[in-house]
Amino acid sequence: MVKRSKEFTCETCPAGKSMFSSSLDNADLLYLNNQKSVHFYRKGEDIYHEGHKTVGIYCLMEGKVKVYKQGNDGREYIIRFVLPGEFIGLKALVTGNNHTTSASALEDSYVCFVTKTDFFQLMVKYPEFTRLLILTLSQLIEEAELKMTSLAQKPVKERLAEALIFLNKSFNAKSTNPDKTYLNLTRNDLSNIIGTAPETVIRLLSEFKDEKLISIKGRKIFITNNEELTRLANISI
């Protein structure tokens, strides 16, 4: 982890606009700006590890982060991806437990850190801020439940199709040109998302390509037939 001089303020960042700025008065927002620290994580660098003591909360300002658990078999099992404006480590902070997951940068990322003491002071002082946090936690739980259901009930081909659709929608939500959007993930990461072997992912991606559902350029995956891929995934969006 390396500190950088790049400036991020709670008034201008995605999380600040949706969470902090809408709930805090100017004096507390200025205090938060002064108290938080901004850190730069290179691609592949860990932000925290499973089992580490929770000392505060992280907020992603720029980049992408994956949250994962280490299985008994030594494999990573990806829980979710974090995009700019989202919190990392919220559940551990609220419950007071050690981190039950690990988090690492998928690409070069800037992350803000707020101490537990400062964050809890805001929760006590601003009920609306706390309500938004509870809503965020509820959404994370719902996403986890849906993923568990998918893993338990769907064959691997449907799970991969569903993952591609969900990730493309999440990563490229702000794109103004859908024809040029793509996913840039390792086959190993994709396999860790859907709970299968990398070789299976490679084989199924080749099948999707032959069926003209996707196109592949190096590690980049372009969805070329979203409607048919959605049908294959057995979901409604």
Side-chain angles (χ1 to χ4, degrees):
M1 179 186 67
V2 180
K3 285 192 176 183
R4 290 293 177 93
S5 59
K6 188 168 184 177
E7 287 296 323
F8 289 100
T9 66
C10 296
E11 299 97 322
T12 58
C13 80
K17 290 180 179 178
S18 62
M19 187 76 74
F20 293 126
S21 295
S22 62
S23 306
L24 277 58
D25 63 30
N26 291 335
D28 284 317
L29 197 59
L30 179 61
Y31 174 81
L32 184 63
N33 274 322
N34 292 333
Q35 293 299 114
K36 71 174 177 16
S37 56
V38 181
H39 303 277
F40 175 74
Y41 294 88
R42 297 192 182 280
K43 179 180 177 181
E45 190 174 2
D46 289 324
I47 298 168
Y48 62 78
H49 285 287
E50 185 175 347
H52 280 186
K53 183 178 180 181
T54 306
V55 294
I57 193 167
Y58 305 86
C59 186
L60 180 62
M61 298 297 98
E62 187 177 292
K64 292 186 182 72
V65 168
K66 66 177 177 181
V67 177
Y68 65 94
K69 288 184 70 71
Q70 199 79 31
N72 294 331
D73 55 2
R75 285 184 53 190
E76 286 183 6
Y77 290 86
I78 295 178
I79 308 300
R80 69 185 183 101
F81 292 103
V82 182
L83 302 177
E86 297 179 353
F87 289 116
I88 315 166
L90 178 60
K91 180 174 71 70
L93 180 73
V94 172
T95 60
N97 297 325
N98 291 344
H99 288 291
T100 57
T101 59
S102 301
S104 66
L106 272 176
E107 59 188 41
D108 289 354
S109 301
Y110 285 93
V111 179
C112 287
F113 175 77
V114 180
T115 67
K116 181 188 298 187
T117 299
D118 287 332
F119 202 77
F120 281 166
Q121 285 178 352
L122 296 177
M123 290 180 66
V124 170
K125 186 173 182 179
Y126 295 97
E128 176 61 15
F129 177 64
T130 303
R131 187 191 71 81
L132 291 173
L133 289 176
I134 294 172
L135 179 61
T136 299
L137 273 176
S138 299
Q139 291 171 340
L140 291 176
I141 293 172
E142 183 178 0
E143 289 174 6
E145 291 173 345
L146 290 173
K147 184 177 181 182
M148 288 177 62
T149 302
S150 177
L151 287 173
Q153 298 180 354
K154 289 187 174 184
V156 65
K157 191 170 186 177
E158 288 186 13
R159 298 204 303 266
L160 179 58
E162 181 178 352
L164 292 177
I165 291 169
F166 172 77
L167 293 171
N168 187 58
K169 184 178 180 181
S170 299
F171 287 0
N172 300 308
K174 296 181 180 180
S175 174
T176 57
N177 191 343
D179 294 334
K180 292 186 177 181
T181 60
Y182 60 85
L183 298 173
N184 190 10
L185 290 170
T186 67
R187 304 310 181 245
N188 194 55
D189 277 342
L190 281 173
S191 70
N192 290 338
I193 295 168
I194 64 173
T196 191
E199 295 78 13
T200 302
V201 167
I202 293 171
R203 175 178 57 81
L204 289 175
L205 287 177
S206 180
E207 289 182 14
F208 289 174
K209 181 180 178 182
D210 291 341
E211 295 166 8
K212 301 189 184 307
L213 304 178
I214 63 172
S215 63
I216 300 174
K217 295 180 181 179
R219 207 172 76 173
K220 296 177 181 179
I221 302 172
F222 299 80
I223 294 179
T224 55
N225 192 334
N226 189 74
E227 183 177 349
E228 184 61 23
L229 196 63
T230 301
R231 188 197 65 76
L232 177 62
N234 193 23
I235 58 175
S236 58
I237 57 173

